PDB file of all heavy atoms in Angstrom:
ATOM      1  N   GLN A  97     112.634  72.516 104.811  1.00 89.00           N
ATOM      2  CA  GLN A  97     112.763  72.385 103.359  1.00 89.00           C
ATOM      3  C   GLN A  97     111.453  71.998 102.676  1.00 89.00           C
ATOM      4  O   GLN A  97     111.281  72.251 101.498  1.00 89.00           O
ATOM      5  CB  GLN A  97     113.836  71.344 103.024  1.00 89.00           C
ATOM      6  CG  GLN A  97     115.238  71.919 103.131  1.00 89.00           C
ATOM      7  CD  GLN A  97     116.269  70.842 103.471  1.00 89.00           C
ATOM      8  OE1 GLN A  97     116.016  69.646 103.294  1.00 89.00           O
ATOM      9  NE2 GLN A  97     117.415  71.262 103.971  1.00 89.00           N
ATOM     10  N   ILE A 150     118.045  90.014 103.057  1.00 95.00           N
ATOM     11  CA  ILE A 150     118.247  88.560 102.975  1.00 95.00           C
ATOM     12  C   ILE A 150     119.518  88.136 103.718  1.00 95.00           C
ATOM     13  O   ILE A 150     119.542  87.103 104.382  1.00 95.00           O
ATOM     14  CB  ILE A 150     118.246  88.082 101.499  1.00 95.00           C
ATOM     15  CG1 ILE A 150     118.395  86.574 101.393  1.00 95.00           C
ATOM     16  CG2 ILE A 150     119.310  88.742 100.668  1.00 95.00           C
ATOM     17  CD1 ILE A 150     117.131  85.879 101.103  1.00 95.00           C
ATOM     18  N   GLU A 151     120.568  88.978 103.651  1.00 95.00           N
ATOM     19  CA  GLU A 151     121.825  88.654 104.354  1.00 95.00           C
ATOM     20  C   GLU A 151     121.576  88.544 105.855  1.00 95.00           C
ATOM     21  O   GLU A 151     122.009  87.619 106.516  1.00 95.00           O
ATOM     22  CB  GLU A 151     122.908  89.723 104.119  1.00 95.00           C
ATOM     23  CG  GLU A 151     123.569  89.687 102.767  1.00 95.00           C
ATOM     24  CD  GLU A 151     122.667  90.237 101.677  1.00 95.00           C
ATOM     25  OE1 GLU A 151     121.694  90.966 102.014  1.00 95.00           O
ATOM     26  OE2 GLU A 151     122.903  89.936 100.495  1.00 95.00           O
ATOM     27  N   GLU A 152     120.858  89.528 106.371  1.00 94.00           N
ATOM     28  CA  GLU A 152     120.602  89.534 107.815  1.00 94.00           C
ATOM     29  C   GLU A 152     119.715  88.353 108.233  1.00 94.00           C
ATOM     30  O   GLU A 152     119.929  87.728 109.268  1.00 94.00           O
ATOM     31  CB  GLU A 152     119.956  90.866 108.223  1.00 94.00           C
ATOM     32  CG  GLU A 152     119.614  90.914 109.701  1.00 94.00           C
ATOM     33  CD  GLU A 152     120.186  92.119 110.418  1.00 94.00           C
ATOM     34  OE1 GLU A 152     121.024  92.825 109.840  1.00 94.00           O
ATOM     35  OE2 GLU A 152     119.772  92.333 111.574  1.00 94.00           O
ATOM     36  N   ARG A 153     118.753  88.046 107.395  1.00 94.00           N
ATOM     37  CA  ARG A 153     117.854  86.942 107.735  1.00 94.00           C
ATOM     38  C   ARG A 153     118.602  85.617 107.735  1.00 94.00           C
ATOM     39  O   ARG A 153     118.390  84.765 108.596  1.00 94.00           O
ATOM     40  CB  ARG A 153     116.669  86.919 106.775  1.00 94.00           C
ATOM     41  CG  ARG A 153     115.778  88.147 106.973  1.00 94.00           C
ATOM     42  CD  ARG A 153     114.465  88.009 106.290  1.00 94.00           C
ATOM     43  NE  ARG A 153     114.524  88.223 104.866  1.00 94.00           N
ATOM     44  CZ  ARG A 153     113.883  87.488 103.969  1.00 94.00           C
ATOM     45  NH1 ARG A 153     113.150  86.469 104.355  1.00 94.00           N
ATOM     46  NH2 ARG A 153     113.980  87.759 102.703  1.00 94.00           N
ATOM     47  N   ALA A 154     119.508  85.441 106.758  1.00 94.00           N
ATOM     48  CA  ALA A 154     120.297  84.204 106.691  1.00 94.00           C
ATOM     49  C   ALA A 154     121.224  84.112 107.905  1.00 94.00           C
ATOM     50  O   ALA A 154     121.393  83.048 108.496  1.00 94.00           O
ATOM     51  CB  ALA A 154     121.099  84.168 105.398  1.00 94.00           C
ATOM     52  N   ARG A 155     121.800  85.256 108.290  1.00 94.00           N
ATOM     53  CA  ARG A 155     122.695  85.281 109.445  1.00 94.00           C
ATOM     54  C   ARG A 155     121.949  84.877 110.724  1.00 94.00           C
ATOM     55  O   ARG A 155     122.433  84.093 111.527  1.00 94.00           O
ATOM     56  CB  ARG A 155     123.278  86.692 109.612  1.00 94.00           C
ATOM     57  CG  ARG A 155     124.776  86.689 109.708  1.00 94.00           C
ATOM     58  CD  ARG A 155     125.417  88.019 109.933  1.00 94.00           C
ATOM     59  NE  ARG A 155     124.597  89.191 109.820  1.00 94.00           N
ATOM     60  CZ  ARG A 155     124.562  89.997 108.744  1.00 94.00           C
ATOM     61  NH1 ARG A 155     125.296  89.716 107.697  1.00 94.00           N
ATOM     62  NH2 ARG A 155     123.803  91.064 108.731  1.00 94.00           N
ATOM     63  N   ARG A 156     120.730  85.412 110.874  1.00 90.00           N
ATOM     64  CA  ARG A 156     119.942  85.087 112.068  1.00 90.00           C
ATOM     65  C   ARG A 156     119.585  83.603 112.097  1.00 90.00           C
ATOM     66  O   ARG A 156     119.624  82.965 113.141  1.00 90.00           O
ATOM     67  CB  ARG A 156     118.647  85.911 112.080  1.00 90.00           C
ATOM     68  CG  ARG A 156     118.880  87.375 112.360  1.00 90.00           C
ATOM     69  CD  ARG A 156     117.563  88.121 112.267  1.00 90.00           C
ATOM     70  NE  ARG A 156     117.734  89.555 112.343  1.00 90.00           N
ATOM     71  CZ  ARG A 156     116.812  90.432 111.997  1.00 90.00           C
ATOM     72  NH1 ARG A 156     115.651  90.025 111.539  1.00 90.00           N
ATOM     73  NH2 ARG A 156     117.033  91.720 112.106  1.00 90.00           N
ATOM     74  N   ARG A 157     119.198  83.061 110.932  1.00 88.00           N
ATOM     75  CA  ARG A 157     118.852  81.641 110.855  1.00 88.00           C
ATOM     76  C   ARG A 157     120.060  80.791 111.236  1.00 88.00           C
ATOM     77  O   ARG A 157     119.945  79.788 111.933  1.00 88.00           O
ATOM     78  CB  ARG A 157     118.429  81.329 109.434  1.00 88.00           C
ATOM     79  CG  ARG A 157     117.168  80.560 109.132  1.00 88.00           C
ATOM     80  CD  ARG A 157     116.165  80.326 110.199  1.00 88.00           C
ATOM     81  NE  ARG A 157     114.819  80.229 109.627  1.00 88.00           N
ATOM     82  CZ  ARG A 157     113.709  80.476 110.251  1.00 88.00           C
ATOM     83  NH1 ARG A 157     113.717  80.861 111.509  1.00 88.00           N
ATOM     84  NH2 ARG A 157     112.548  80.353 109.671  1.00 88.00           N
ATOM     85  N   GLN A 158     121.240  81.242 110.754  1.00 91.00           N
ATOM     86  CA  GLN A 158     122.472  80.498 111.014  1.00 91.00           C
ATOM     87  C   GLN A 158     122.742  80.407 112.523  1.00 91.00           C
ATOM     88  O   GLN A 158     123.045  79.350 113.056  1.00 91.00           O
ATOM     89  CB  GLN A 158     123.647  81.166 110.306  1.00 91.00           C
ATOM     90  CG  GLN A 158     124.887  80.310 110.256  1.00 91.00           C
ATOM     91  CD  GLN A 158     126.044  81.007 109.576  1.00 91.00           C
ATOM     92  OE1 GLN A 158     126.260  82.205 109.783  1.00 91.00           O
ATOM     93  NE2 GLN A 158     126.775  80.282 108.753  1.00 91.00           N
ATOM     94  N   GLU A 159     122.594  81.554 113.184  1.00 91.00           N
ATOM     95  CA  GLU A 159     122.797  81.612 114.649  1.00 91.00           C
ATOM     96  C   GLU A 159     121.851  80.658 115.360  1.00 91.00           C
ATOM     97  O   GLU A 159     122.250  79.887 116.237  1.00 91.00           O
ATOM     98  CB  GLU A 159     122.482  83.027 115.162  1.00 91.00           C
ATOM     99  CG  GLU A 159     123.475  84.071 114.709  1.00 91.00           C
ATOM    100  CD  GLU A 159     124.697  84.047 115.599  1.00 91.00           C
ATOM    101  OE1 GLU A 159     124.517  84.236 116.805  1.00 91.00           O
ATOM    102  OE2 GLU A 159     125.808  83.811 115.085  1.00 91.00           O
ATOM    103  N   LEU A 161     120.256  78.071 114.210  1.00 85.00           N
ATOM    104  CA  LEU A 161     120.539  76.662 113.956  1.00 85.00           C
ATOM    105  C   LEU A 161     121.797  76.213 114.703  1.00 85.00           C
ATOM    106  O   LEU A 161     121.868  75.098 115.198  1.00 85.00           O
ATOM    107  CB  LEU A 161     120.694  76.419 112.449  1.00 85.00           C
ATOM    108  CG  LEU A 161     119.371  76.473 111.669  1.00 85.00           C
ATOM    109  CD1 LEU A 161     119.617  76.570 110.172  1.00 85.00           C
ATOM    110  CD2 LEU A 161     118.513  75.242 111.960  1.00 85.00           C
ATOM    111  N   ASN A 167     125.441  73.209 111.800  1.00 91.00           N
ATOM    112  CA  ASN A 167     126.322  74.192 111.175  1.00 91.00           C
ATOM    113  C   ASN A 167     126.014  74.260 109.692  1.00 91.00           C
ATOM    114  O   ASN A 167     126.376  73.368 108.937  1.00 91.00           O
ATOM    115  CB  ASN A 167     127.786  73.780 111.369  1.00 91.00           C
ATOM    116  CG  ASN A 167     128.362  74.464 112.590  1.00 91.00           C
ATOM    117  OD1 ASN A 167     128.127  75.655 112.805  1.00 91.00           O
ATOM    118  ND2 ASN A 167     129.093  73.717 113.389  1.00 91.00           N
ATOM    119  N   ILE A 168     125.360  75.321 109.269  1.00 91.00           N
ATOM    120  CA  ILE A 168     124.969  75.414 107.859  1.00 91.00           C
ATOM    121  C   ILE A 168     125.526  76.713 107.282  1.00 91.00           C
ATOM    122  O   ILE A 168     125.483  77.761 107.950  1.00 91.00           O
ATOM    123  CB  ILE A 168     123.430  75.324 107.716  1.00 91.00           C
ATOM    124  CG1 ILE A 168     122.978  74.016 108.371  1.00 91.00           C
ATOM    125  CG2 ILE A 168     122.996  75.404 106.255  1.00 91.00           C
ATOM    126  CD1 ILE A 168     121.569  73.607 108.167  1.00 91.00           C
ATOM    127  N   SER A 169     126.067  76.640 106.060  1.00 95.00           N
ATOM    128  CA  SER A 169     126.725  77.825 105.490  1.00 95.00           C
ATOM    129  C   SER A 169     125.713  78.926 105.181  1.00 95.00           C
ATOM    130  O   SER A 169     124.545  78.659 104.889  1.00 95.00           O
ATOM    131  CB  SER A 169     127.494  77.455 104.221  1.00 95.00           C
ATOM    132  OG  SER A 169     126.589  77.343 103.143  1.00 95.00           O
ATOM    133  N   LEU A 170     126.229  80.157 105.203  1.00 95.00           N
ATOM    134  CA  LEU A 170     125.391  81.325 104.931  1.00 95.00           C
ATOM    135  C   LEU A 170     124.802  81.249 103.526  1.00 95.00           C
ATOM    136  O   LEU A 170     123.632  81.572 103.301  1.00 95.00           O
ATOM    137  CB  LEU A 170     126.264  82.577 105.071  1.00 95.00           C
ATOM    138  CG  LEU A 170     125.641  83.780 105.752  1.00 95.00           C
ATOM    139  CD1 LEU A 170     124.946  83.420 107.035  1.00 95.00           C
ATOM    140  CD2 LEU A 170     126.716  84.831 106.014  1.00 95.00           C
ATOM    141  N   GLU A 171     125.649  80.804 102.591  1.00 96.00           N
ATOM    142  CA  GLU A 171     125.228  80.703 101.191  1.00 96.00           C
ATOM    143  C   GLU A 171     124.030  79.769 101.063  1.00 96.00           C
ATOM    144  O   GLU A 171     123.025  80.092 100.430  1.00 96.00           O
ATOM    145  CB  GLU A 171     126.389  80.156 100.357  1.00 96.00           C
ATOM    146  CG  GLU A 171     126.942  81.035  99.272  1.00 96.00           C
ATOM    147  CD  GLU A 171     126.307  82.412  99.112  1.00 96.00           C
ATOM    148  OE1 GLU A 171     126.628  83.361  99.853  1.00 96.00           O
ATOM    149  OE2 GLU A 171     125.456  82.510  98.210  1.00 96.00           O
ATOM    150  N   LYS A 172     124.136  78.617 101.723  1.00 94.00           N
ATOM    151  CA  LYS A 172     123.072  77.611 101.651  1.00 94.00           C
ATOM    152  C   LYS A 172     121.778  78.174 102.257  1.00 94.00           C
ATOM    153  O   LYS A 172     120.680  77.997 101.712  1.00 94.00           O
ATOM    154  CB  LYS A 172     123.525  76.353 102.404  1.00 94.00           C
ATOM    155  CG  LYS A 172     122.574  75.209 102.270  1.00 94.00           C
ATOM    156  CD  LYS A 172     123.259  73.873 102.449  1.00 94.00           C
ATOM    157  CE  LYS A 172     122.291  72.775 102.071  1.00 94.00           C
ATOM    158  NZ  LYS A 172     121.818  71.969 103.096  1.00 94.00           N
ATOM    159  N   LEU A 173     121.926  78.881 103.377  1.00 93.00           N
ATOM    160  CA  LEU A 173     120.741  79.429 104.037  1.00 93.00           C
ATOM    161  C   LEU A 173     120.102  80.529 103.198  1.00 93.00           C
ATOM    162  O   LEU A 173     118.886  80.638 103.124  1.00 93.00           O
ATOM    163  CB  LEU A 173     121.113  79.953 105.429  1.00 93.00           C
ATOM    164  CG  LEU A 173     121.376  78.855 106.448  1.00 93.00           C
ATOM    165  CD1 LEU A 173     121.940  79.428 107.728  1.00 93.00           C
ATOM    166  CD2 LEU A 173     120.094  78.089 106.748  1.00 93.00           C
ATOM    167  N   LYS A 174     120.965  81.345 102.554  1.00 94.00           N
ATOM    168  CA  LYS A 174     120.427  82.409 101.695  1.00 94.00           C
ATOM    169  C   LYS A 174     119.593  81.806 100.569  1.00 94.00           C
ATOM    170  O   LYS A 174     118.510  82.278 100.258  1.00 94.00           O
ATOM    171  CB  LYS A 174     121.586  83.233 101.100  1.00 94.00           C
ATOM    172  CG  LYS A 174     121.839  84.511 101.874  1.00 94.00           C
ATOM    173  CD  LYS A 174     122.489  85.539 101.020  1.00 94.00           C
ATOM    174  CE  LYS A 174     123.968  85.586 101.294  1.00 94.00           C
ATOM    175  NZ  LYS A 174     124.682  86.614 100.551  1.00 94.00           N
ATOM    176  N   ASN A 175     120.134  80.726  99.992  1.00 94.00           N
ATOM    177  CA  ASN A 175     119.415  80.041  98.915  1.00 94.00           C
ATOM    178  C   ASN A 175     118.092  79.486  99.391  1.00 94.00           C
ATOM    179  O   ASN A 175     117.062  79.642  98.734  1.00 94.00           O
ATOM    180  CB  ASN A 175     120.245  78.838  98.424  1.00 94.00           C
ATOM    181  CG  ASN A 175     121.123  79.257  97.293  1.00 94.00           C
ATOM    182  OD1 ASN A 175     120.793  80.193  96.563  1.00 94.00           O
ATOM    183  ND2 ASN A 175     122.250  78.589  97.146  1.00 94.00           N
ATOM    184  N   GLU A 176     118.138  78.854 100.565  1.00 89.00           N
ATOM    185  CA  GLU A 176     116.937  78.227 101.104  1.00 89.00           C
ATOM    186  C   GLU A 176     115.877  79.291 101.413  1.00 89.00           C
ATOM    187  O   GLU A 176     114.701  79.129 101.086  1.00 89.00           O
ATOM    188  CB  GLU A 176     117.342  77.495 102.380  1.00 89.00           C
ATOM    189  CG  GLU A 176     116.403  76.386 102.760  1.00 89.00           C
ATOM    190  CD  GLU A 176     116.895  75.706 104.029  1.00 89.00           C
ATOM    191  OE1 GLU A 176     117.924  75.030 103.963  1.00 89.00           O
ATOM    192  OE2 GLU A 176     116.245  75.892 105.081  1.00 89.00           O
ATOM    193  N   ILE A 177     116.317  80.394 102.025  1.00 90.00           N
ATOM    194  CA  ILE A 177     115.370  81.456 102.383  1.00 90.00           C
ATOM    195  C   ILE A 177     114.785  82.098 101.118  1.00 90.00           C
ATOM    196  O   ILE A 177     113.587  82.352 101.034  1.00 90.00           O
ATOM    197  CB  ILE A 177     116.046  82.514 103.284  1.00 90.00           C
ATOM    198  CG1 ILE A 177     116.344  81.907 104.661  1.00 90.00           C
ATOM    199  CG2 ILE A 177     115.171  83.752 103.450  1.00 90.00           C
ATOM    200  CD1 ILE A 177     117.085  82.827 105.606  1.00 90.00           C
ATOM    201  N   SER A 178     115.627  82.320 100.098  1.00 92.00           N
ATOM    202  CA  SER A 178     115.127  82.926  98.851  1.00 92.00           C
ATOM    203  C   SER A 178     114.089  82.028  98.205  1.00 92.00           C
ATOM    204  O   SER A 178     113.061  82.491  97.709  1.00 92.00           O
ATOM    205  CB  SER A 178     116.243  83.121  97.823  1.00 92.00           C
ATOM    206  OG  SER A 178     117.287  83.813  98.374  1.00 92.00           O
ATOM    207  N   LYS A 179     114.368  80.731  98.232  1.00 89.00           N
ATOM    208  CA  LYS A 179     113.441  79.778  97.626  1.00 89.00           C
ATOM    209  C   LYS A 179     112.104  79.812  98.361  1.00 89.00           C
ATOM    210  O   LYS A 179     111.031  79.835  97.763  1.00 89.00           O
ATOM    211  CB  LYS A 179     114.049  78.367  97.724  1.00 89.00           C
ATOM    212  CG  LYS A 179     114.061  77.651  96.391  1.00 89.00           C
ATOM    213  CD  LYS A 179     114.284  76.191  96.609  1.00 89.00           C
ATOM    214  CE  LYS A 179     115.645  75.744  96.102  1.00 89.00           C
ATOM    215  NZ  LYS A 179     116.048  74.434  96.575  1.00 89.00           N
ATOM    216  N   ARG A 180     112.189  79.846  99.700  1.00 85.00           N
ATOM    217  CA  ARG A 180     110.973  79.845 100.523  1.00 85.00           C
ATOM    218  C   ARG A 180     110.206  81.154 100.325  1.00 85.00           C
ATOM    219  O   ARG A 180     108.990  81.155 100.163  1.00 85.00           O
ATOM    220  CB  ARG A 180     111.359  79.653 101.987  1.00 85.00           C
ATOM    221  CG  ARG A 180     110.311  78.984 102.800  1.00 85.00           C
ATOM    222  CD  ARG A 180     110.858  77.821 103.610  1.00 85.00           C
ATOM    223  NE  ARG A 180     111.726  78.261 104.710  1.00 85.00           N
ATOM    224  CZ  ARG A 180     111.269  78.628 105.903  1.00 85.00           C
ATOM    225  NH1 ARG A 180     109.982  78.658 106.153  1.00 85.00           N
ATOM    226  NH2 ARG A 180     112.113  78.950 106.848  1.00 85.00           N
TER     227      ARG A 180
END
Side-chain angles (χ1 to χ4, degrees):
Q97 280 152 19
I150 182 103
E151 285 75 19
E152 178 127 349
R153 293 193 283 138
R155 232 183 350 259
R156 289 177 188 164
R157 228 13 150 205
Q158 193 181 41
E159 291 278 302
L161 287 166
N167 265 317
I168 304 190
S169 79
L170 220 48
E171 242 1 81
K172 186 154 189 249
L173 287 171
K174 262 205 260 183
N175 268 332
E176 203 179 290
I177 291 176
S178 307
K179 231 196 249 166
R180 209 130 70 85

